[in-house]
Amino acid sequence: MTAARSGPAFSVRDIPFSTYGSWFDISPVVAEKTYAEDLHLVSHQTGMHAVLRLVPLDAATGRRAETSVRATPALLSWAGPAGRVDLAYESPDTVRLRGSGLGVGVFAAARALTPFSGTYFYREPGTAAYVFTSYETGRRYRLTVLSGTVTETTGAQALGSGDRGVTVGTDGGGVWEVAVEEYETARRPYDLTATFDRVADTARAAFAAFTDTVAPWRSPATPAAELAAYVLWSATVRPKGFVTRSAVLMSKHWMDKVWSWDHCFNALALAPGQPELAWDQFSLPFDHQDESGALPDSVTHSEVLHNFVKPPIHGWALGHLRRRLPTPLSLTQLAEGYDRLSRWTDFWLTARRAPGATLPHYQHGNDSGWDNATTFDPERLIVSADLAAFLTLQLHELAHLAQELGLDGDARRWRRTAASTQAAMLNELWSGDRFVARSVNTQDTWSSASLLDLMPIALGEHLPEGVSGVLAARIEAHLTPHGLATELPTSPHYLSDGYWRGPIWAPSTVLVEDGLRRAGHRGLADEISARFRALCETSGFAENFDALTGTGLRDRAYTWTAGSYLLLAEAHEHRRAEPVRTAGG
């Protein structure tokens, strides 16, 4: 086998070590903002649960060895003066560990075992295997010794509280090796079919092949492209539970769901190189569309939440997706997409329009995706211009789809509704120099210092030139050295780690950059793209970033951030490759 590139090194404190298709990772992050001393096997089935604790051991004393941890996409290593332990994924549900000079302890992460929680541990009869069965995940984790010896067993068949696990090493030096499998109720004994080196080489090749499809354009000018590809690749899970398709979770840290607007950015990033996976990303929330046409707030392994919705950016996303796919969608896919997008749009036009109203409304900041933006400070049930703009774009896309499907009457109806929605947005919410939000109940209006008020720029070429010019100037005021602050830094409500009250976010960046570019404000769009790309290259792929320092905040392995970087980096590379435009072109 030809050796594949090792890929970028990364910190497992920031990005969990995992592989495409797996529902578990190896990480010290065991809960929201919670870092353990040891690396753990952390499952994302039935929630985020640390199941096994992995401890490198001094061969002479049996105590924890001082090591440094290094991770690349295919290999995780603990290295110390006396030796090393390596870990690689053999398959999405199996990892192999190999060590020399150091031993390893594999222990249940939870010490307490009750009738309804914890991890039970026992020796599998007639084999060299030990099994941990977890109440939290509903899965079993089997350790099979492939070479070396079990030096100690603790807590087999024990009830109550206490340590449970095994330590593995060798009596007189040499190399030991084990396999750890995640499965459900029963599985045939582990069958050794490949050497550890072959397992690691295969993983390297798989990642390299994925990267070559999603970022074939990468260059020294896009130094974070491979790591962005790893964040997406390693966060992808196989269909299980409510996850009906291969899905890119937002993270394999604690944000281990698919939210119903986050998925659009990953779909767009994947479209040229992984078209089937991209279509699955776009389609997954629609698999759980309810009878009203609403999309769920989020989907994960064991739950689908409908308490909120997310903004209707899906028409905007589908239009871009169709342009980015290497081959057109099939007639079946077009018809399915049209039906689903129609029902989603009808939800906003019926369930979310108050009697007599032309424009729809949000019921909470969570519906907008900008949970706590200052636009929602006076009231939560509001009519806002961003919603009207996204719905207008969605109506335009429905008209295009209807035309292609030969539904001329539908196409005319969607175009009329798009025109009336945009007209109402301008007539009711444009004050002459800014967009305002309006109370559904009292009709009072207000403005804020939130970037959310400027999101109608997403309409791009559809906006009157005078309106887009004013929006562009106001957007520029949000631009810090690192990117677009979601609240003006001069605002009294600005918070450096205030979620949507200041930090830089990927989706707002992509939507604004695209709208500005389509509206003809290319210079500002270029600057926003450049600063966000530089931010990711310096600070990684955090959920959001401090707008003034660039520090990554919250979940540090967020896929829509990685996907957005890939989108902007690809577009930048293509522009660099184009002939130099004439001035003003």
Side-chain angles (χ1 to χ4, degrees), residues 37-304:
E37 181 178 8
D38 296 309
L39 299 188
H40 284 64
L41 184 154
V42 181
S43 174
H44 298 275
Q45 297 192 66
T46 74
M48 180 186 184
H49 303 289
V51 181
L52 301 178
R53 181 166 54 94
L54 309 175
V55 187
L57 300 174
D58 185 287
T61 66
R63 297 176 180 173
R64 175 186 287 106
E66 291 298 320
T67 60
S68 59
V69 175
R70 184 177 187 273
T72 59
L75 191 67
L76 174 67
S77 300
W78 295 257
R84 62 184 289 135
V85 176
D86 294 320
L87 182 150
Y89 275 84
E90 180 175 351
S91 70
D93 63 16
T94 302
V95 292
R96 295 266 288 272
L97 291 94
R98 179 182 67 179
S100 62
L102 298 176
V104 71
V106 180
F107 304 102
R111 296 188 79 252
L113 176 64
T114 77
F116 304 105
S117 66
T119 301
Y120 176 62
F121 173 62
Y122 61 93
R123 170 78 180 267
E124 188 172 66
T127 70
Y130 297 80
V131 177
F132 302 83
T133 177
S134 167
Y135 279 92
E136 282 71 23
T137 70
R139 303 301 186 274
R140 295 167 191 253
Y141 303 82
R142 181 171 65 188
L143 181 149
T144 301
V145 179
L146 306 179
S147 64
T149 60
V150 172
T151 55
E152 186 177 358
T153 303
T154 304
Q157 301 186 55
L159 305 178
S161 293
D163 290 327
R164 294 171 175 82
V166 298
T167 62
V168 179
T170 59
D171 291 332
V175 177
W176 57 263
E177 191 171 340
V178 302
V180 178
E181 306 163 87
E182 180 183 58
Y183 61 102
E184 292 176 358
T185 306
R187 176 175 282 193
R188 294 174 63 86
Y190 178 83
D191 184 20
L192 178 63
T193 59
T195 65
F196 184 93
D197 289 337
R198 175 102 179 169
V199 166
D201 286 344
T202 300
R204 273 189 286 271
F207 171 67
F210 179 88
T211 304
D212 286 343
T213 63
V214 301
W217 40 261
R218 64 195 185 278
S219 76
T222 57
E226 282 192 76
L227 189 57
Y230 175 74
V231 171
L232 291 173
W233 181 78
S234 64
T236 303
V237 295
R238 297 173 294 172
K240 276 185 178 292
F242 289 114
V243 176
T244 49
R245 304 163 184 261
S246 294
V248 181
L249 302 178
M250 287 311 103
S251 174
K252 278 186 181 168
H253 286 327
W254 58 86
M255 300 295 282
D256 54 355
K257 296 183 178 184
V258 176
W259 276 268
S260 291
W261 71 311
D262 310 42
H263 68 111
C264 292
F265 300 91
N266 289 339
L268 293 177
L270 293 166
Q274 294 279 330
E276 292 183 5
L277 183 61
W279 182 245
D280 281 343
Q281 299 326 293
F282 182 78
S283 301
L284 174 59
F286 286 95
D287 291 345
H288 299 281
Q289 197 167 16
D290 72 15
E291 61 183 14
S292 74
L295 297 184
D297 185 48
S298 63
V299 179
T300 191
H301 175 271
S302 300
E303 69 176 17
V304 180

